[in-house]
């Protein structure tokens, strides 16, 4: 038994001697088991480099070059058949027309599938603050959050769809950005659903198509 305690005490002393007490600070250099992982032979950003005349690691972009593609798939980006989706439909990604003005209307075809997609994403990301009906009475209002604007005032009714797209993408005031959570097509789908919510507060019985009136008992 005494040998066990002797080995046990020796092990504790050895561990403490090598690793030190928890929380203690040491002025000695750490032990590098694999030094090449900490001291790699590489050029650091904004570092000095004696090879170039300006002494910088970072190299300026060659004049006349332009970025191509947004991914890491080199074979696809630099293939002869590659087309930049942003250049094919810039309004879809920016919300602006060619003259830099906010786009009115939609750069995608608004179908039933788009409306269902917009309703789904609106329920997930927007209704919590703006309310299911877009009136600003979301669940966050119950927890003391500042009043959320309603979609049913004249200011937002008259706002260009492209400006709404920009707000969803980058956020505004207390509203965070959703550009990283919703694809451009999904953002436009949400806007289409918002327009449907706005329309639902303005229509009359005369605006209901004849084929749907029997379902409403009209």
């Amino acid at each position: 038994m005494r040998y066990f305690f002797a080995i046990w005490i020796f092990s504790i002393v050895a561990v403490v001697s090598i690793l030190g007490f928890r929380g203690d600070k040491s002025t000695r250099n750490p032990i590098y088991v694999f030094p090449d992982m900490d001291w790699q032979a590489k050029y650091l950003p904004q570092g000095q480099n004696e090879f170039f005349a300006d002494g910088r690691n970072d190299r300026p972009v060659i004049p006349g070059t332009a970025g191509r593609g947004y991914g890491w798939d080199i074979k696809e980006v630099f293939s002869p058949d590659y087309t930049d989706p942003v250049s094919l439909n810039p309004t879809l990604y920016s919300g602006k027309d060619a003259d830099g003005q906010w786009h009115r209307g939609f750069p995608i075809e608004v179908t039933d599938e788009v409306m269902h997609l917009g309703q789904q994403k609106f329920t997930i990301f927007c209704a919590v603050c703006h309310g299911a009906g877009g009136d600003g009475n979301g669940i966050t209002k119950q927890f003391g959050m500042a009043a959320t604007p309603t979609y049913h005032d004249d200011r937002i009714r008259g706002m260009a769809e492209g400006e709404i797209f920009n707000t969803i993408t980058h956020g505004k005031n207390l509203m965070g950005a959703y550009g990283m959570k919703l694809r451009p097509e999904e953002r436009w789908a949400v806007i289409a659903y918002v327009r449907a919510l706005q329309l639902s507060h303005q229509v009359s019985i005369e605006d209901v198509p004849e084929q749907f009136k029997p379902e409403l008992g009209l």
Side-chain angles (χ1 to χ4, degrees):
M1 193 68 175
R2 60 182 180 181
Y3 292 110
F4 171 78
F5 282 110
I7 295 173
W8 183 63
I9 294 174
F10 175 79
S11 300
I12 294 176
V13 172
V15 170
V16 173
S17 300
I18 296 174
L19 302 181
F21 291 99
R22 183 177 178 85
D24 280 1
K25 295 182 179 180
S26 175
T27 57
R28 293 180 298 177
N29 293 329
I31 299 175
Y32 291 100
V33 180
F34 300 104
D36 57 320
M37 298 299 293
D38 294 282
W39 308 101
Q40 301 180 22
K42 61 182 180 181
Y43 296 115
L44 298 176
Q46 301 182 5
Q48 294 183 350
N49 191 317
E50 297 180 357
F51 180 80
F52 298 103
D54 57 8
R56 299 185 302 169
N57 280 340
D58 295 334
R59 309 313 308 145
V61 178
I62 300 175
T65 58
R68 175 171 176 170
Y70 296 87
W72 294 99
D73 192 344
I74 303 300
K75 292 183 179 179
E76 177 185 353
V77 171
F78 288 95
S79 67
D81 300 327
Y82 175 79
T83 55
D84 184 5
V86 177
S87 63
L88 295 178
N89 193 351
T91 303
L92 175 67
Y93 294 87
S94 67
K96 293 185 177 182
D97 293 327
D99 57 359
Q101 300 299 315
W102 295 122
H103 180 74
R104 290 193 175 273
F106 295 88
I108 61 174
E109 182 182 1
V110 180
T111 62
D112 289 341
E113 290 76 12
V114 170
M115 294 300 298
H116 284 298
L117 176 63
Q119 181 183 28
Q120 178 189 43
K121 298 303 179 180
F122 179 91
T123 303
I124 295 173
F125 294 101
C126 311
V128 63
C129 293
H130 290 280
D135 53 8
N137 292 319
I139 191 174
T140 55
K141 192 173 183 179
Q142 303 176 13
F143 297 94
M145 184 176 177
T148 305
T150 173
Y151 295 143
H152 305 293
D153 61 23
D154 293 336
R155 180 182 67 86
I156 298 183
R157 283 198 187 101
M159 185 179 294
E161 285 78 7
E163 186 173 358
I164 301 176
F165 177 87
N166 183 74
T167 300
I168 296 175
T169 303
H170 302 290
K172 186 176 182 180
N173 298 329
L174 295 178
M175 174 181 166
Y178 286 86
M180 75 294 292
K181 300 176 182 178
L182 295 170
R183 293 181 292 106
E185 295 83 357
E186 294 174 337
R187 281 170 256 166
W188 287 108
V190 169
I191 298 171
Y193 183 71
V194 168
R195 290 307 195 205
L197 290 177
Q198 293 172 331
L199 183 62
S200 68
H201 282 60
Q202 295 179 297
V203 296
S204 62
I205 295 178
E206 289 73 19
D207 296 318
V208 179
E210 292 295 332
Q211 65 268 29
F212 297 118
K213 288 184 177 181
E215 299 179 12
L216 302 175
L218 301 176

